[in-house]
Amino acid sequence: MKDIMAGILYKSMNRRSFIKTGLAGIGTLVAIGAGCSPGLYKNGRKATRWAFLSDTHIPADVNNNYRGFYPCQNLQEVVPGINSNSPDGVVITGDLARLTGELGDYANLKKLLNPIARERPAFMALGNHDNRANFVKVFDKVPGEKQPVRNKLVTVIERPPVRLVILDSLLYVNKVPGLLGKAQRQWLQDYLEQCDDTPTIICFHHTLKDGDGDLLDVPRLFSIIKPVRKVKAIVYGHSHAYGFSQFEGIHLINLPAVGYNFNDAEPVGWVEANMTAGGADFMLHAIAGNKSGDKSVKKLTWRR
Ligand SMILES: [Zn+2]
């Protein structure tokens, strides 16, 4: 699996391409059908482990710093810990780039992620400091031609016992608010109607409050997912603050930033998630900022 999935995978991994890729060398896995079938395959695993990162804010200039934090150094520092943790994959929920999503930002990001990408897939969502066109230019192995949503980068990751859906909330480069938009919301609604009941985790960049700098279509998103019981959690970033809350039993997990915090009370680091069909354990790996919660574990139970 590692070999097959090696390399930065950012793509709208449609089901046909996933099956093609996935079956190329996964002898023990059994495809049980096309479409949104139960997990695409059953691998018999009870858990899947992921490294969740957010707000890497990688600059083109490695000496760029903010509040005394050097985003390039921070990412470099977390990479060995992630690899030694041997997760099934990595998800970075946006604000990959420093401010405006320059080509040089992504070139650095690619270089810094390479030790991870050689071992396991790294999936990325775009944030308000990203530039979609530049991102796709640098992460050129991205088979972006098969995106199911117009002008958005959407990925579905089937990893029984859970499924991750990576959405794209980038609205305007270097302006704070985000938007999924009607086409993406419609896609999500249709997708969720068709797919099986595998516990589904939605990941994107923006926060879920009602401010002018949050995800502007949060109420519409919530109205779509509220009745869909298979949606268990949303994982997001943007605030550079670590926290857990809920909406209608859906867990809302706000990841800390890798690049820098906005205040000293917040950790800087990444979060390890062990996910099962029944819930997940999230463990904070704090490398800077407020490290008092380092290695603390939050246990979540999925709604039924
Ligand atoms: Zn942001």
Side-chain angles (χ1 to χ4, degrees), residues 213-235:
D214 294 304
L215 186 74
L216 298 178
D217 48 358
V218 160
R220 289 186 168 106
L221 170 66
F222 278 176
S223 73
I224 290 168
I225 63 176
K226 178 180 162 183
V228 183
R229 306 303 293 182
K230 73 189 106 177
V231 176
K232 309 299 188 187
I234 302 177
V235 179

Side-chain angles (χ1 to χ4, degrees), residues 70-254:
Y70 290 75
C72 287
Q73 286 179 18
N74 285 2
L75 184 55
Q76 200 163 19
E77 189 177 335
V78 301
V79 161
I82 291 168
N83 265 343
S84 67
N85 194 265
S86 299
D88 293 306
V90 174
V91 174
I92 310 177
T93 57
D95 279 359
L96 310 168
R98 180 69 189 90
L99 291 174
T100 50
E102 302 301 322
L103 290 170
D105 302 345
Y106 295 121
N108 265 350
L109 177 64
K110 193 174 187 180
K111 205 186 307 170
L112 288 162
L113 287 178
N114 198 35
I116 288 179
R118 281 199 302 257
E119 302 287 328
R120 52 189 49 83
F123 297 93
M124 287 172 272
L126 299 177
N128 53 296
H129 291 296
D130 289 305
N131 178 303
R132 200 172 286 111
N134 285 348
F135 173 82
V136 171
K137 273 183 203 155
V138 173
F139 289 91
D140 53 356
K141 287 183 186 166
V142 175
E145 69 281 0
K146 290 185 178 173
Q147 296 158 35
V149 184
R150 184 169 28 94
N151 298 327
K152 294 283 191 181
L153 295 176
V154 178
T155 308
V156 173
I157 308 162
E158 298 280 1
R159 284 294 184 286
V162 303
R163 163 193 301 124
L164 306 181
V165 176
I166 305 208
L167 300 180
D168 178 342
S169 63
L170 167 58
L171 174 59
Y172 297 120
V173 178
N174 207 18
K175 290 184 172 27
V176 184
L179 189 79
L180 298 175
K182 186 168 183 177
Q184 187 170 207
R185 292 195 312 266
Q186 189 61 56
W187 173 86
L188 180 65
Q189 186 162 15
D190 294 345
Y191 181 82
L192 291 173
E193 271 172 23
Q194 295 164 23
C195 65
D196 73 21
D197 286 340
T198 297
T200 299
I201 316 299
I202 295 175
C203 308
F204 53 78
H205 177 68
H206 279 80
T207 40
L208 302 164
K209 294 182 177 155
D210 62 354
D212 296 340
D214 294 304
L215 186 74
L216 298 178
D217 48 358
V218 160
R220 289 186 168 106
L221 170 66
F222 278 176
S223 73
I224 290 168
I225 63 176
K226 178 180 162 183
V228 183
R229 306 303 293 182
K230 73 189 106 177
V231 176
K232 309 299 188 187
I234 302 177
V235 179
Y236 58 101
H238 191 50
S239 66
H240 297 217
Y242 186 43
F244 294 82
S245 57
Q246 286 187 36
F247 166 77
E248 295 285 337
I250 299 169
H251 290 286
L252 311 178
I253 299 135
N254 199 166

Side-chain angles (χ1 to χ4, degrees), residues 266-286:
E266 290 299 334
V268 166
W270 61 284
V271 177
E272 165 192 348
N274 279 288
M275 296 189 280
T276 68
D281 291 351
F282 285 80
M283 180 189 281
L284 174 66
H285 293 263

